[in-house]
């Protein structure tokens, strides 16, 4: 048999290529973490970053911690890097899972209302929270906006899901249309809150809507980290179900998968992953849309490799975007949503033109 047409040899070559690609992404992520943690207004050499992190993790002497570099790194940079890593991974894997579920390469968490629901709730907290905080426990103002954003994203997703569900079945097309309608309603709500806001509230609201990793602390990150990490891991474990969905719902049912239960789990997990990310970062668009497409171009649509690769590349892209955002206009900081939209917008247009050129619509 010609080795060029041997399916076993072809499968082996593909597995080797995917393994190499994932390894390259893993190494690139480690390098990105070191660079992102060390570069900024106070520059810390890479070897110093590694030494401080090793000391912090207990792999080196305690003398590597306690000076100015270690305080900057551990108290300011590292929470920000961890947030970028978790949020980038969560947004990317949520986008990949929803694209697999809807069999639509243009789907991302924003389509089912997660981002708009979080945005309108965060806007309400910013504009109306000042009067409500007097009735809340001391120190609750720090958590008011992320908690409101997280709850808003989940509530809108639940409403969209309920509208699309009937007699125990979920209609995917209705799910998308309901998401579009509620996105429009949320946009109107945000517009009204902008109209009611004063100058400072308007500034805070615009900054939140444009997205940023700035201002995060360990106290804010640690309660939200499991809400990003656990759904990310669980979504990556659903690769068999998503591969079956690529064949169609009827085929997935014949293969033995519980289609309706899988739909519910994917929507809920994607909403948790994206909602908890948006709650801390604000609106960061296009990561969930762009990353899965970049991965498919390299290693194909198999979710067994697509999902973990999306996790790695999503984290890398968001860390690099944040690094650029906080260094390109020093001493100011550019909202990260502007950078991701500058990258994602042209890519989205290219995708539409490419699909039209291929006669797909």
């Amino acid at each position: 048999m010609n080795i060029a047409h041997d399916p076993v040899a072809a499968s082996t070559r593909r597995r080797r290529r995917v393994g190499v690609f994932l390894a390259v992404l893993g190494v690139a992520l480690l390098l990105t973490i070191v660079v992102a943690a060390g570069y900024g207004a106070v520059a810390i050499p890479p070897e110093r970053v590694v030494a401080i992190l090793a000391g912090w993790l207990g792999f080196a002497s305690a003398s590597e911690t306690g000076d100015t570099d270690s305080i900057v790194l551990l108290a300011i940079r590292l929470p920000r890097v961890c947030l970028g890593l978790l949020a980038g991974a969560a947004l990317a894997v949520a986008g990949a899972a929803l694209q697999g579920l809807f069999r639509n390469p243009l789907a991302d968490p924003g389509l089912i209302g997660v981002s708009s629901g979080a945005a309108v709730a965060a806007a309400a907290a910013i504009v109306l929270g000042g009067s409500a905080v007097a009735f809340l426990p001391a120190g609750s103002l720090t958590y008011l906006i992320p908690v409101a954003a997280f709850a808003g994203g989940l509530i809108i997703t639940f409403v969209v899901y309920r509208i699309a569900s009937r007699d125990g079945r979920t209609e995917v097309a209705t799910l998308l249309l309901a998401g579009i309608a509620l996105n429009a309603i949320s946009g109107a709500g945000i517009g009204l809150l902008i109209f009611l806001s004063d100058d400072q509230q308007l500034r805070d609201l615009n900054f939140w809507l444009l997205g940023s990793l700035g201002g995060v602390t360990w106290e804010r990150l640690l309660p939200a980290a499991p809400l990003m990490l656990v759904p990310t891991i669980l979504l990556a474990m659903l690769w068999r179900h998503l591969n079956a969905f690529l064949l169609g719902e009827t085929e997935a049912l014949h293969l033995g998968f519980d289609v309706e239960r899988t739909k519910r789990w994917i929507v809920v997990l994607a909403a948790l992953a994206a909602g908890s990310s948006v709650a801390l970062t604000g609106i960061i668009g296009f990561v969930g849309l762009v990353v899965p497409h970049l991965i498919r171009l390299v290693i194909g649509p198999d979710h067994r490799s697509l999902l973990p690769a999306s996790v790695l590349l999503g984290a890398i892209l968001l860390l690099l975007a944040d690094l650029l955002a906080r260094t390109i206009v020093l001493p100011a900081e550019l909202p990260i949503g502007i950078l991701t939209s500058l990258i994602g917008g042209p890519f989205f247009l290219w995708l539409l033109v490419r699909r039209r050129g291929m006669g797909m619509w």
Side-chain angles (χ1 to χ4, degrees):
M1 178 181 292
N2 188 339
I3 192 170
H5 302 291
D6 183 352
V8 176
S11 177
T12 302
R13 286 197 301 275
R14 183 188 174 283
R15 285 200 301 270
R16 187 179 300 127
R17 183 164 61 93
V18 170
V20 170
F21 182 69
L22 289 174
V24 169
L25 284 180
V27 173
L29 179 58
L30 291 177
L31 294 175
T32 304
I33 290 173
V34 173
V35 172
Y39 197 72
V42 177
I44 305 174
E47 63 275 14
R48 181 80 178 124
V49 171
V50 173
I52 293 173
L53 291 179
W56 185 59
L57 294 171
F59 295 111
S61 65
S63 61
E64 298 294 351
T65 62
D67 59 6
T68 302
D69 285 350
S70 63
I71 292 172
V72 170
L73 177 61
L74 299 178
I76 300 174
R77 300 263 177 83
L78 197 54
R80 187 168 184 144
V81 168
C82 289
L83 176 58
L85 194 157
L86 289 170
L91 291 172
V93 79
L98 290 175
Q99 288 170 14
L101 172 64
F102 296 138
R103 298 192 301 281
N104 186 333
L106 305 182
D108 80 342
L111 273 184
I112 58 172
V114 178
S115 301
S116 60
V120 73
I126 292 171
V127 177
L128 308 175
S131 54
V133 75
F135 302 98
L136 299 175
S140 60
L141 184 60
T142 305
Y143 301 99
L144 181 61
I145 296 174
V147 169
F150 180 64
L154 289 187
I155 289 172
I156 291 289
T157 304
F158 176 76
V159 172
V160 169
Y161 185 78
R162 289 297 300 166
I163 292 174
S165 299
R166 183 179 180 182
D167 297 331
R169 291 178 55 82
T170 305
E171 185 65 38
V172 171
T174 306
L175 194 72
L176 287 173
L177 292 173
I180 292 171
L182 285 172
N183 279 336
I185 295 171
S186 299
I190 294 171
L192 178 61
L193 289 165
I194 289 175
F195 177 76
L196 296 174
S197 61
D198 58 28
D199 289 345
Q200 182 58 46
Q201 290 169 344
L202 183 60
R203 180 179 175 81
D204 293 342
L205 183 53
N206 280 331
F207 194 76
W208 191 89
L209 291 174
L210 290 172
S212 173
L213 303 187
V216 65
T217 61
W218 289 117
E219 288 74 20
R220 293 183 65 193
L221 176 63
L222 291 178
L227 297 175
M228 290 183 270
L229 183 61
V230 173
T232 299
I233 295 172
L234 293 178
L235 283 172
M237 294 171 63
L238 290 173
W239 63 268
R240 289 186 180 86
H241 301 73
L242 288 166
N243 276 352
F245 270 97
L246 289 178
L247 303 173
E249 290 186 18
T250 303
E251 288 76 6
L253 186 64
H254 289 160
L255 288 172
F257 292 99
D258 188 331
V259 172
E260 293 305 319
R261 179 185 294 178
T262 302
K263 286 181 186 176
R264 287 194 294 271
W265 271 111
I266 292 175
V267 170
V268 169
L269 292 173
L272 276 175
S276 54
S277 303
V278 172
L280 287 186
T281 65
I283 304 296
I284 297 178
F286 291 108
V287 173
L289 175 66
V290 171
V291 170
H293 286 294
L294 293 175
I295 299 298
R296 285 193 196 92
L297 289 174
V298 180
I299 59 175
D302 186 349
H303 288 87
R304 179 170 48 179
S305 48
L306 172 65
L307 294 173
S310 296
V311 168
L312 295 171
L313 186 59
I316 292 170
L317 286 185
L318 198 53
L319 286 176
L320 290 177
D322 179 57
L323 177 63
L324 196 60
R326 60 186 166 84
T327 56
I328 196 171
V329 290
L330 279 173
E333 179 177 324
L334 197 65
I336 195 171
I338 293 176
L339 287 175
T340 55
S341 296
L342 279 175
I343 299 170
F347 183 84
F348 190 78
L349 290 175
W350 172 80
L351 184 66
L352 291 175
V353 172
R354 180 171 177 266
R355 284 169 60 82
R356 187 180 64 179
M358 295 171 65
M360 298 179 68
W361 54 270

